Amino acid sequence: MASIGSRHVAPHRASVLGITTVAGIRGAMPVLGIATFFGAWTLATSLKLAPPTFLPSPLAVLHSMVELTQIPYAGSTLQQHLMASLEKFGISFAAAVLLGVPFGLIMGRSNLMKWALSPLFEGFRFVPPIAWVPFAIFWFGTGFLAPTLVIFAGAFAPCVINSYRGAQLIERHLIEASQTLGAGRWRTFTEILLPAALTHIVAGVRVGAGFGWQSLIGAELIVGSTGLGYMIVQAGSNLQPAIVISGMITIGIAGASIDYLMRAIQHGMRRKWAH
Amino acid sequence: MTPRQDRSVPLRWIVSGSSVALLFAAWYLVTGPLGLVSSLKFPAPLDAYDSLIRLIRSPGYADGILAQHILSSTELVLIGFLLATATGVPLGLLMGRNRLVDGYVNPVFQLIRPIAPIAWIPLTILWFGLGMGAKLFVIWLAAFAPAVINTYTGVRNIETIVIQAARVHGASSKEMLFDVVIPGALPSIFTGLRTSLQACWMVLVAAELVGSFVGLGHIMIIASRDLDSGMILVAMICVALLGVLMSAGLTYVERYAIPWRR
């Protein structure tokens, strides 16, 4: 019935019986998908297919997550670890944006600067951010500051590249017009260059935030004594997978929130500068 | 070519060359004669060269010579990357072509994806130990998501008219897949693979730094324990060069696979 009906009826309209339309099946698929995921997870743990030291049940993870917010683990509670990670991220991400954007804009507007700086930048760009960890330890010790260099290395390149592209794509007559009207270098930079390249810049900053957050977690796995990365690596070596997964979920939520914030800024900018 | 352009080409090389030369001169001066930076912070050029020679010659460093470390790291990246391509691209094609599969898989995918692949390292070590298995799994995981997403986007962005035209002309579903959908999505697929490859190297280095017995990340860990900054620099440069080489290899494959895009 349904297969015959679906041929003649528009896919989104309910069939006469209203039970199994194409649209209905499609609507149910996401629910089914999520249910399969959690169902398989619960089943695997409750049938002891995976021992609890290997994979804890979803409920055990939820329980440990609630517990982590009250009882400190590896020196701090979950929210303290989260704040420590966010603090490191905030400091060096801000530094990467504040240095990377002007760097890219200058390279995009001046051939001389581009020729001088691009070989150095290309060399730097191909080193994976995590590979800076040993030097980060040599330069900043094993304390709070060590991961900041790694985050900076992750976030800097996307900021530079997109600002560079943004600056190159600006229409020449805009710059020439402003110079004819007597704008100096600084005013041209702040009032023409920056706004015109802004959508590109914000896109790069968003990519940079993603890389920076990943690099932070990687750095915290290796060095430091606070943060979510530190927490999960400690829990891993203590064979406490429920705490590891709780940390991973927190990392996921925080990363998604940062990206959401960046996207909101991106949309806001687009609306503001579209006219 | 106008004479004006001809003059700017040598100028470009002069500027770039002198900028690089300046960097090397500054490096030599601050680490050597001026003594501003101690070898504990950054190696002098000659120290780095010594480390390189030590690493290449027979006893090597960190339980192996350079070739062994490079082979181990490259092998892991290559296998993980190929596994991710072999699983991610078909899933992306399936999700792009079939709405039911898309509806079923996409939410789970969106649920797991925000978790940075690097954050899986402790769990995979718990599951697989410190050997190859854990590293292959995280590398696969890191490369899988970009492969799926870009294949999916590529399939979805094929113009409906093209699909309809193929259907009107009686293309079988096999012809549709191999002559219309895959070629149409290939540019986007390769964009995804490029991102995947970069993610592979990043995750591999992180996994090797957290725990390993061989590999370029292993060199870095041993060298930072020995306070051997020259060796760290050598390992970093090796990682960067291998990344560049593999990315160039991918460009070569891309040219071969998409001849119509030059």
Side-chain angles (χ1 to χ4, degrees), chain B residues 38-249:
Chain B
S38 84
S39 67
L40 280 178
K41 299 280 178 194
F42 205 77
L46 275 178
D47 290 348
Y49 179 75
D50 283 346
S51 298
L52 177 65
I53 298 300
R54 226 166 1 115
L55 188 57
I56 291 174
R57 289 210 181 125
S58 148
Y61 187 77
D63 307 318
I65 58 167
L66 182 63
Q68 287 169 318
H69 292 296
I70 286 181
L71 199 70
S72 161
S73 293
T74 313
E75 197 184 358
L76 282 172
V77 167
L78 220 61
I79 296 174
F81 175 71
L82 290 178
L83 278 178
T85 308
T87 49
V89 172
L91 182 64
L93 288 173
L94 201 63
M95 280 166 70
R97 288 295 293 158
N98 188 320
R99 284 182 182 231
L100 290 183
V101 177
D102 183 22
Y104 189 66
V105 179
N106 216 346
V108 180
F109 199 70
Q110 298 299 340
L111 202 68
I112 297 176
R113 200 170 67 94
I115 300 172
I118 283 185
W120 283 81
I121 291 174
L123 194 65
T124 52
I125 289 177
L126 213 132
W127 285 351
F128 302 103
L130 284 177
M132 299 261 291
K135 291 180 183 66
L136 273 183
F137 183 79
V138 260
I139 292 170
W140 170 79
L141 199 74
F144 184 67
V148 173
I149 294 165
N150 283 282
T151 308
Y152 176 80
T153 323
V155 173
R156 278 297 164 88
N157 284 346
I158 298 173
E159 284 173 53
T160 328
I161 292 178
V162 177
I163 305 262
Q164 283 168 345
R167 198 170 282 153
V168 166
H169 286 87
S172 68
S173 50
K174 191 181 156 199
E175 283 168 338
M176 185 71 101
L177 183 66
F178 286 101
D179 297 339
V180 180
V181 173
I182 292 182
L186 263 186
S188 178
I189 292 176
F190 271 98
T191 309
L193 294 185
R194 200 164 290 283
T195 316
S196 291
L197 195 59
Q198 207 186 354
C200 283
W201 278 105
M202 170 108 170
V203 169
L204 169 85
V205 173
E208 285 184 343
L209 285 174
V210 173
S212 57
F213 308 111
V214 64
L216 294 166
H218 183 63
I219 297 181
M220 287 185 196
I221 277 296
I222 301 291
S224 57
R225 265 179 218 152
D226 294 351
L227 302 178
D228 188 340
S229 60
M231 204 57 95
I232 293 174
L233 187 67
V234 169
M236 271 174 85
I237 292 172
C238 286
V239 170
L241 284 180
L242 283 174
V244 174
L245 271 179
M246 275 191 147
S247 158

Side-chain angles (χ1 to χ4, degrees), chain A residues 4-21:
Chain A
I4 298 166
S6 63
R7 253 168 209 266
H8 300 286
V9 179
H12 288 286
R13 210 186 300 159
S15 80
V16 187
L17 289 172
I19 304 165
T20 50
T21 61

Side-chain angles (χ1 to χ4, degrees), chain A residues 85-117:
Chain A
S85 289
L86 286 177
E87 204 175 317
K88 291 176 222 178
F89 174 77
I91 292 171
S92 42
F93 176 60
V97 173
L98 289 177
L99 288 173
V101 171
F103 192 84
L105 289 177
I106 289 168
M107 278 200 342
R109 289 318 306 171
S110 149
N111 272 337
L112 212 60
M113 291 304 249
K114 184 175 83 183
W115 295 335
L117 296 175

